[in-house]
Amino acid sequence: MSLLSARGLSKSFAGLQAVRNVDFDLPQGEVRALIGPNGAGKTTLVGMICGRIAPTVGTVHFDGRDITRLPAHRRIRLGMAYTFQITAIFAGLDVAENVALAARRRLTGDAVASAVEAALARVGLAGHAGQEAGDLSYGHQRLLEIAMGLVQEPRLLILDEPTQGLAEAEITAFKALIRDLAGNTTVLLIEHNMSVVMETAHRVSVLNFGEMLAEGTPDEIRGNADVQAAYLGTG
Amino acid sequence: MKIAVLHIGLLALLFALQFVLPAYHHGNLARIMVLASYAVGYNVLFGYTGLLSLGHALFFAAGMYGMALTIDHLGWSPAPALIAGLVAGLIVSAALGVLALRTAGVAFMIVTLMFAQAGYLTILYFAEWTHGDEGFVIQQAQRVLWGIDLSDPSNRYFAALALFSVSLLVCLWLVRRPFGRTLVAIRENEERTAMLGYDTFAHKLGAVVISGMISAAAGASYGLLFGYAGATFASVQYSIFPLLWVLLGGAGTVLGPFIGTLFMFYLIDLSSGITTAYMLIAGVVLVALTLFAPQGLAGEVRRRIWSWLP
């Protein structure tokens, strides 16, 4: 049973077709990577799934329910979480409050503080709770984004280029985190770092010029000639 | 704890001042407390939610006329008249919120300004009932609330203090609750807040209504305590005042509105004693403050010394 299912999604921006007639299914519990060259329409596609962008045509179903017309905040409440590609933390608030804002939608009272603590510990930011979020390094801001996603305990976690700007050790920790989530949480991961894709994803979808080019296991994708030509290069 | 001590301490100080202040300053402070309540209401929307309204005079006047017209035409006593003022504030702010919140940024400023101007012109147009520009006096006999004569300076002072205490404590309570924290999140980054699953429109509408009702309570009290209702209070000037008070005192701080109102009131009061060009002095001081304390007086205190200041 697919947790998420999109049919015929298209999006045009002033005549430019960013996404063209994409069908997309994501089974419960799977970690799926979405890859493709810059400008392939990955963020647009994900934006239509989580409600930031209205599709020109097409439908989105989540957990069997048609959510195409639901505004973003209602979709999030159904159990989606989205972390932004360009870090969109609350720079003027402290780190703990950033995560608490994400937690308070599902928790109240003392449960918030312990959930915040657990989420920060999970991404390795435990020591930074009192710091102003805008003062964090770029990599740490990315980790804070991930913590804000985790603390919502979503059924579908959408991560838009989460490892961009992370150090090597942080990327290793991130891979372990995703493997840890796999099975319980369905994860949709937009990612450029191939080692992250190959080591964490169950399946990979490749988007090119707004169209779904290929879909398969990491090994199948690695061996796919079209994908190599479009994205990985022939080397 | 520190927070409780500071805010209750201020209220206790204001209570004590009633017994020591000379008559002139005593009267001033009563007026300042009512106007500061208005500023507290404004700050909920501007300081905490990040929505700059140029039409708050509409809410202040809604409260004032809701109270004054029911006394003048229906012969109501002050208690139900005050409630009428609050209800007027509720209706007007909810209606304006639903319409104006379809816009954002500069458009929101323009739309609120236009609605407030429409309200002002409505008051002038229905001069038969509102007495237009001239306004009307609420007689001493009509200002007795539960046997307390509100035209008496001491009673008036305590009534103003009661209003201010309620406004301040409501604001303090609000901004420490999840609802208030979400308003701050909307101010900081509205799209992110929506993507955490919050209905930002509903939260902003809630902020407009709370802000509008505190402003209306201040307007109704002002009319009742000082015995006069007039169209001036609906003019654009009275929309700009709370913005100035809040900016000077510190937007997004609980105490800022009071400090700003107090500061501005005495700045004009003292400078007008020196020269007839007192607005020049006031203007220079305001420019200097904006340059050197851009976060307002309480905002600077928070930045430099007391980072825990709510």
Side-chain angles (χ1 to χ4, degrees), chain A residues 42-44 46-47 52 82-86 142 157-164 188-191:
Chain A
K42 302 184 296 292
T43 297
T44 307
V46 165
R52 292 180 71 202
Y82 177 79
T83 70
F84 283 61
Q85 176 183 17
I86 299 158
R142 306 282 330 167
L157 176 61
I158 303 173
L159 299 162
D160 198 343
E161 301 202 14
T163 64
Q164 195 185 53
L188 176 57
L189 184 68
I190 298 183
E191 188 53 74

Side-chain angles (χ1 to χ4, degrees), chain A residues 50 52 72-73 76-77 82-84 88-93 97-98 100-105 145 148-149 152, chain B residues 176-201 203:
Chain A
C50 69
R52 292 180 71 202
H73 71 267
I76 302 294
R77 281 190 207 174
Y82 177 79
T83 70
F84 283 61
I89 51 165
F90 301 103
L93 307 179
E97 176 65 11
N98 269 268
L101 277 163
R104 272 200 293 264
R105 228 193 54 259
E145 276 273 358
M148 289 165 74
Q152 298 176 58
Chain B
R176 290 158 57 79
R177 292 212 21 95
F179 181 82
R181 305 280 195 93
T182 307
L183 295 185
V184 171
I186 290 173
R187 178 189 75 194
E188 294 289 313
N189 188 340
E190 181 169 349
E191 197 198 357
R192 187 66 175 111
T193 311
M195 290 310 290
L196 290 177
Y198 291 103
D199 186 342
T200 53
F201 180 85
H203 276 81

Side-chain angles (χ1 to χ4, degrees), chain A residues 87-142:
Chain A
T87 49
I89 51 165
F90 301 103
L93 307 179
D94 67 34
V95 169
E97 176 65 11
N98 269 268
V99 184
L101 277 163
R104 272 200 293 264
R105 228 193 54 259
R106 101 191 142 79
L107 301 171
T108 51
D110 296 339
V112 174
S114 51
V116 168
E117 208 173 306
L120 285 176
R122 218 163 168 194
V123 299
L125 284 179
H128 297 273
Q131 210 174 332
E132 197 164 296
D135 293 343
L136 290 178
S137 70
Y138 182 74
H140 282 170
Q141 293 189 6
R142 306 282 330 167

Side-chain angles (χ1 to χ4, degrees), chain A:
Chain A
M1 163 79 193
S2 291
L3 178 65
L4 179 78
S5 161
R7 286 290 167 272
L9 278 184
S10 296
K11 180 69 190 180
S12 314
F13 294 108
L16 173 82
Q17 274 219 302
V19 172
R20 222 172 306 175
N21 196 26
V22 167
D23 292 341
F24 185 78
D25 283 286
L26 188 51
Q28 180 90 44
E30 183 174 308
V31 176
R32 173 75 60 95
L34 181 62
I35 65 170
N38 283 327
K42 302 184 296 292
T43 297
T44 307
L45 174 61
V46 165
M48 289 190 281
I49 289 170
C50 69
R52 292 180 71 202
I53 301 169
T56 312
V57 252
T59 59
V60 183
H61 282 76
F62 183 72
D63 200 19
R65 179 174 170 191
D66 187 348
I67 59 165
T68 314
R69 311 197 73 81
L70 284 189
H73 71 267
R74 298 271 306 275
R75 300 189 193 199
I76 302 294
R77 281 190 207 174
L78 291 176
M80 287 188 188
Y82 177 79
T83 70
F84 283 61
Q85 176 183 17
I86 299 158
T87 49
I89 51 165
F90 301 103
L93 307 179
D94 67 34
V95 169
E97 176 65 11
N98 269 268
V99 184
L101 277 163
R104 272 200 293 264
R105 228 193 54 259
R106 101 191 142 79
L107 301 171
T108 51
D110 296 339
V112 174
S114 51
V116 168
E117 208 173 306
L120 285 176
R122 218 163 168 194
V123 299
L125 284 179
H128 297 273
Q131 210 174 332
E132 197 164 296
D135 293 343
L136 290 178
S137 70
Y138 182 74
H140 282 170
Q141 293 189 6
R142 306 282 330 167
L143 293 174
L144 174 58
E145 276 273 358
I146 296 168
M148 289 165 74
L150 289 178
V151 82
Q152 298 176 58
E153 293 193 350
R155 298 168 67 198
L156 171 61
L157 176 61
I158 303 173
L159 299 162
D160 198 343
E161 301 202 14
T163 64
Q164 195 185 53
L166 292 195
E168 209 48 55
E170 289 164 342
I171 291 179
T172 308
F174 175 78
K175 289 175 191 165
L177 180 69
I178 296 299
R179 277 193 290 264
D180 192 31
L181 287 174
N184 298 316
T185 308
T186 311
V187 180
L188 176 57
L189 184 68
I190 298 183
E191 188 53 74
H192 276 304
N193 184 321
M194 278 307 137
S195 84
V196 173
V197 172
M198 295 302 164
E199 288 173 42
T200 63
H202 298 128
R203 290 175 72 80
V204 181
S205 298
V206 187
L207 210 57
N208 192 32
F209 293 113
E211 288 177 326
M212 202 55 89
L213 182 68
E215 215 166 83
T217 63
D219 285 333
E220 287 166 4
I221 293 300
R222 210 198 303 255
N224 186 308
D226 290 340
V227 176
Q228 287 182 2
Y231 186 66
L232 295 175
T234 45

Side-chain angles (χ1 to χ4, degrees), chain B residues 89-268:
Chain B
L90 172 70
I91 294 169
V92 170
S93 58
L96 181 127
V98 168
L99 295 170
L101 286 174
R102 301 166 74 93
T103 65
V106 175
F108 181 80
M109 293 159 53
I110 304 287
V111 169
T112 50
L113 177 68
M114 288 304 146
F115 271 107
Q117 282 305 98
Y120 174 62
L121 294 173
T122 306
I123 291 169
L124 294 185
Y125 184 80
F126 290 103
E128 199 182 323
W129 292 283
T130 62
H131 307 279
D133 238 355
E134 281 173 36
F136 57 95
V137 169
I138 301 159
Q139 301 300 335
Q140 187 182 349
Q142 296 169 315
R143 290 159 62 195
V144 180
L145 178 66
W146 299 316
I148 304 164
D149 180 1
L150 293 175
S151 63
D152 168 75
S154 279
N155 293 342
R156 182 162 65 196
Y157 187 95
F158 284 127
L161 177 60
L163 170 76
F164 177 64
S165 307
V166 171
S167 310
L168 187 81
L169 296 176
V170 163
C171 177
L172 185 60
W173 175 79
L174 182 76
V175 302
R176 290 158 57 79
R177 292 212 21 95
F179 181 82
R181 305 280 195 93
T182 307
L183 295 185
V184 171
I186 290 173
R187 178 189 75 194
E188 294 289 313
N189 188 340
E190 181 169 349
E191 197 198 357
R192 187 66 175 111
T193 311
M195 290 310 290
L196 290 177
Y198 291 103
D199 186 342
T200 53
F201 180 85
H203 276 81
K204 288 191 291 183
L205 184 59
V208 171
V209 170
I210 293 167
S211 173
M213 285 190 70
I214 296 175
S215 304
S221 306
Y222 197 93
L224 197 59
L225 296 184
F226 301 101
Y228 172 77
T232 328
F233 294 107
S235 67
V236 67
Q237 202 182 350
Y238 270 82
S239 292
I240 303 294
F241 278 145
L243 171 63
L244 277 180
W245 296 329
V246 167
L247 279 176
L248 284 179
T253 63
V254 174
L255 289 180
F258 174 75
I259 296 171
T261 312
L262 181 77
F263 181 85
M264 180 107 165
F265 192 95
Y266 273 101
L267 179 65
I268 289 177

